[in-house]
């Protein structure tokens, strides 16, 4: 293997903005900030969610962000800061780097992901099942 996940994450971390949970919490109610949960839907049902966060599964993220994609989501065209998180902070580091490479200018991720958010007692709730 030429480059493993650790090297990819390390490279991403060197180029992206990372917030601690405390820093992210300061931005949580800001209307100019959109929290983006990139975890798999099964993780959301099992672990819970951050109220108000947009669920954007990692496998669809590039398609949802690109205005030329048939799957484009207009929320990504708004003039907001996007704070990505996953379960532990690895996938969100890679996703944040990719979004930055795609041209989203105000992007960051949460160190430690949802696990750190929940452990800090930050707002969470159960995902409503359909």
């Amino acid at each position: 293997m030429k480059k493993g996940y650790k090297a990819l994450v390390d490279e991403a971390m060197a180029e992206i903005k990372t917030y601690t949970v405390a820093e992210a919490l300061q931005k949580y109610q800001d209307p100019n900030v959109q929290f983006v949960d990139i975890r798999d839907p099964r993780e959301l049902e099992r672990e819970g969610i951050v109220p108000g966060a947009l669920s954007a599964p990692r496998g669809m993220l590039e398609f949802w962000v690109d205005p030329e994609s048939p799957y484009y989501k207009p929320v990504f065209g708004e003039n907001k800061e996007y704070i990505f998180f996953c379960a532990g902070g690895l996938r969100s580091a890679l996703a944040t780097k990719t979004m930055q490479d795609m041209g989203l200018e105000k992007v960051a991720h949460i160190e430690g992901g949802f696990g750190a958010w929940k452990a800090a007692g930050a707002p969470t709730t159960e995902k409503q099942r359909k």
Side-chain angles (χ1 to χ4, degrees), residues 7-50:
L8 291 170
V9 170
D10 288 345
E11 288 175 5
M13 292 293 286
E15 296 184 33
I16 63 173
K17 182 184 291 184
T18 301
Y19 289 131
T20 64
V21 171
E23 291 168 329
L25 267 169
Q26 291 177 350
K27 295 179 168 278
Y28 180 59
Q29 297 295 331
D30 186 334
N32 295 312
V33 174
Q34 177 64 63
F35 280 66
V36 183
D37 189 339
I38 66 165
R39 295 176 298 149
D40 180 274
R42 290 177 299 266
E43 291 175 278
L44 305 180
E45 289 179 4
R46 186 174 58 244
E47 302 295 327
I49 61 171
V50 173

Side-chain angles (χ1 to χ4, degrees), residues 75-129:
V75 66
F76 289 108
E78 297 175 7
N79 185 25
K80 293 187 176 194
E81 178 179 22
Y82 299 90
I83 301 177
F84 296 91
F85 65 94
C86 60
L90 301 178
R91 289 175 288 174
S92 59
L94 296 175
T96 301
K97 171 71 167 76
T98 300
M99 297 304 97
Q100 191 170 283
D101 290 347
M102 289 180 71
L104 278 184
E105 295 178 4
K106 297 183 283 187
V107 294
H109 88 118
I110 300 174
E111 180 179 31
F114 183 78
W117 178 269
K118 194 172 184 177
T124 64
T125 190
E126 289 186 18
K127 168 130 174 64
Q128 297 301 315
R129 296 198 174 146

